[in-house]
Amino acid sequence: MAEFKTHLTVSSLCSSAAATFLLAACLATPDEVLLFFVMGVVGGLLPDIDSDSSLPVRLLFTFIATVISFLIMFNQGADNSAAELFLIWLGSFFVVKFLFFSMFTRITVHRGIIHSVPASFFFWFLTTLILYHFFSFSKHTVWMAGFFVFAGFIIHLLLDELVSLDLFGNGPKRSSGTAFKFANAKDLKSTLAVYGLAALLFVATPDYTPFVRTYFSADSFASLKVFPDGGWFTHLYRTYLSRWQTKPTGPLSQIDS
C-alpha cells in the first residue's frame, strides 16, 4: 500500500493539473478551481478512512467534523447568541468527531468495502448532494466537484494496486488485488449495502444534464490551448511590463516606496 505522503502528493498533482485545464478552457472560475482541487485531494485520501488508528484518518475525520459542525451552525436562526452558536458548533463537532468516528471504526474493516470502486461512486454522489443542498452551488459545479472526489478516489485505488504489484521488486505482494475491487467476497452484506446506498444517493442527486452539457459537449474544450502558439510566458511578461510602465512616478509613489 502506498504511503500517505505518496497519496497526498499524487492526488494534489493530478487535481491541480485537471483543475488548471478546466480554468484554461474557461470551464471553471478561480473559486471553482480551488473547490475542485480540494475535492480531488480529499478523494485521494478517502479510501483509507477505514483505517482505525492512522494519523491521516484522524485528521480527515477532524476536518469532516469541523465542516459538518459549521453547516449545522449556519442553519440555525439569526437570533441565537454567539455563545449559543458556539455551543451548537462544539456539540456537533464532538458528536461527529468522537461518537460517529467510534461507530464507523467498529463497523468497518481496513481495506474492506470502503476501499473499493462502488465506494468511490457513493462518495461522488454524497459530495454532490452536500454541496448542492448546503452550499447552493450550480448543478454542473457540484457534479464536477463530486467527480473530482471520485477521480481522486480511483487514483488512490490504482496507486495502491500498482504498489502491491511491486514491479521492480520480488513480484506481486499478498495485498495484490485487494485495493481496486468491485466487491468484498468476505463481507457480502457490506458490499450490497454500499451498492444500495450509492443507488439511493444517485436517485436523490440533482439533474446531471447541465454537468454533461458543460463538460462533455463537442465544443467544451474548443478554447483550450495546451501549449503556447509562440514563446513561453510571453503574455505574463507583457502583463508585468505594461504594469511597470504605467506605474506612477510622482511624489506620492516616492512616498509609498
Side-chain angles (χ1 to χ4, degrees):
M1 182 174 64
E3 298 178 350
F4 170 75
K5 292 182 179 180
T6 303
H7 285 304
L8 181 61
T9 301
V10 173
S11 62
S12 298
L13 290 175
C14 292
S15 298
S16 299
T20 300
F21 269 74
L22 293 178
L23 179 66
C26 299
L27 293 176
T29 64
D31 291 339
E32 290 173 339
V33 167
L34 181 59
L35 172 66
F36 296 157
F37 168 76
V38 172
M39 292 297 101
V41 173
V42 170
L45 302 177
L46 271 177
D48 285 339
I49 199 173
D50 56 4
S51 180
D52 296 354
S53 58
S54 69
L55 176 60
V57 171
R58 294 199 297 271
L59 293 176
L60 185 59
F61 258 98
T62 300
F63 173 77
I64 294 174
T66 302
V67 173
I68 293 178
S69 300
F70 274 116
L71 292 176
I72 294 174
M73 186 183 71
F74 292 157
N75 286 328
Q76 305 306 310
D79 54 344
N80 288 285
S81 65
E84 290 172 321
L85 290 175
F86 176 73
L87 289 176
I88 291 173
W89 180 92
L90 190 63
S92 303
F93 177 83
F94 274 94
V95 168
V96 177
K97 177 66 170 67
F98 296 103
L99 180 61
F100 181 75
F101 178 73
S102 177
M103 294 175 57
F104 184 84
T105 53
R106 287 182 181 180
I107 63 177
T108 58
V109 179
H110 186 45
R111 282 254 175 158
I113 193 59
I114 298 298
H115 203 285
S116 67
V117 175
S120 66
F121 286 94
F122 168 81
F123 285 109
W124 179 1
F125 304 149
L126 180 62
T127 302
T128 300
L129 281 169
I130 292 176
L131 292 178
Y132 183 70
H133 290 289
F134 290 99
F135 290 92
S136 301
F137 287 107
S138 62
K139 293 179 180 179
H140 69 272
T141 299
V142 299
W143 272 102
M144 178 53 76
F147 178 77
F148 266 74
V149 172
F150 166 79
F153 203 105
I154 292 297
I155 290 173
H156 180 116
L157 301 183
L158 291 174
L159 191 59
D160 276 350
E161 200 63 59
L162 288 175
V163 171
S164 68
L165 291 177
D166 196 12
L167 299 177
F168 302 100
N170 299 319
K173 300 179 181 179
R174 294 178 58 185
S175 59
S176 179
T178 62
F180 195 88
K181 58 180 178 291
F182 290 86
N184 185 0
K186 297 181 180 179
D187 192 356
L188 293 179
K189 291 183 179 179
S190 297
T191 299
L192 293 175
V194 170
Y195 273 101
L197 289 173
L200 290 175
L201 288 177
F202 177 74
V203 173
T205 53
D207 182 21
Y208 58 83
T209 305
F211 166 69
V212 176
R213 290 178 178 175
T214 301
Y215 299 105
F216 295 96
S217 66
D219 300 327
S220 294
F221 294 90
S223 61
L224 175 63
K225 292 193 302 182
V226 179
F227 299 105
D229 297 330
W232 287 75
F233 305 113
T234 54
H235 179 72
L236 180 65
Y237 170 75
R238 291 171 182 172
T239 300
Y240 279 99
L241 180 62
S242 62
R243 291 180 180 177
W244 179 79
Q245 290 175 341
T246 57
K247 182 179 180 180
T249 57
L252 290 178
S253 63
Q254 294 177 1
I255 294 176
D256 293 339
S257 60

